[in-house]
Amino acid sequence: MKPTISTYEDISLVTLQNVPADIGFIADVFAKIAGLGVDVDMISLSPVQSSLTSVSFTINDDDLVKTLSFTSKLEDGTVKSIVSSGNRKISIDDDNMVNCPGVAAKVFKAIAKSKAEIRLITTSESQISVLVTMADFEAAFAAVENADF
C-alpha cells in the first residue's frame, strides 16, 4: 500500500469550549458558520460527560476573523473560543485502508518519532488527517512520507 499524501497550509484550529451538549445547537453553529461562507474541514467532538462539551474544527486562516466574530457571541459569550492559526494539515488517503488494521498506528508512530506535536486528528475509512504546527510540519511530513505502509 502506498497512500497519497496531501498537504494544506494556513489552517486555523478553533476549539469551542462550554458548548451545550445538544446536537441541534451544534448543527446550528455549523449552519451559521457555513452561512458566513466559511468552509469547515476537520471536526472533532469531545465525548459528552455533562450538559456541556467541546468541539474543535479547522478553517482557512483567512476566515478566522469572521468566524470568531460569530462564535464570540454564542450563548451570550459563555462559549469560549481557543484558536491556533498558521497550522498545516497532512492527509493520508488510500482506498486500501478499508479493513486494513494498523494504518493509523503506523502514521502516529512515524509522527511520534519526528517529535512533532499533533493538534488534531480526524479519520475516515480511507483517510487519516493530522493537523500540525507550522514549526513541526517538515519533520512530520518527512516522517509520514517515509513511513512503512
Side-chain angles (χ1 to χ4, degrees):
M1 176 178 97
K2 190 64 181 168
T4 301
I5 302 171
S6 305
T7 64
Y8 308 86
E9 58 186 25
D10 302 323
I11 307 293
S12 289
L13 171 62
V14 178
T15 298
L16 302 178
Q17 294 181 324
N18 302 322
V19 173
D22 170 6
I23 196 63
F25 178 87
I26 294 168
D28 287 344
V29 167
F30 284 107
K32 288 176 183 166
I33 291 171
L36 296 171
V38 175
D39 184 28
V40 172
D41 185 22
M42 304 169 76
I43 301 173
S44 178
L45 178 67
S46 296
V48 176
Q49 296 182 359
S50 68
S51 62
L52 300 175
T53 191
S54 294
V55 62
S56 298
F57 58 93
T58 60
I59 58 174
N60 188 284
D61 284 349
D62 293 338
D63 293 324
L64 186 57
V65 172
K66 62 182 162 182
T67 301
L68 291 180
S69 69
F70 160 68
T71 60
S72 66
K73 299 173 191 164
L74 288 171
E75 295 289 286
D76 296 324
T78 60
V79 172
K80 181 180 178 186
S81 299
I82 299 171
V83 177
S84 167
S85 59
N87 299 294
R88 304 259 329 241
K89 181 175 86 167
I90 303 169
S91 290
I92 301 95
D93 296 277
D94 192 326
D95 289 338
N96 294 319
M97 281 190 214
V98 178
N99 299 319
C100 185
V103 177
K106 290 176 183 178
V107 170
F108 301 158
K109 189 172 208 164
I111 294 174
K113 286 181 184 177
S114 77
K115 307 255 190 261
E117 177 185 337
I118 295 178
R119 297 275 168 115
L120 186 66
I121 300 168
T122 59
T123 65
S124 71
E125 289 184 334
S126 61
Q127 183 182 67
I128 301 167
S129 293
V130 294
L131 189 71
V132 297
T133 63
M134 185 68 75
D136 289 338
F137 171 74
E138 293 298 332
F141 179 71
V144 171
E145 211 171 34
N146 294 318
D148 182 28
F149 292 104

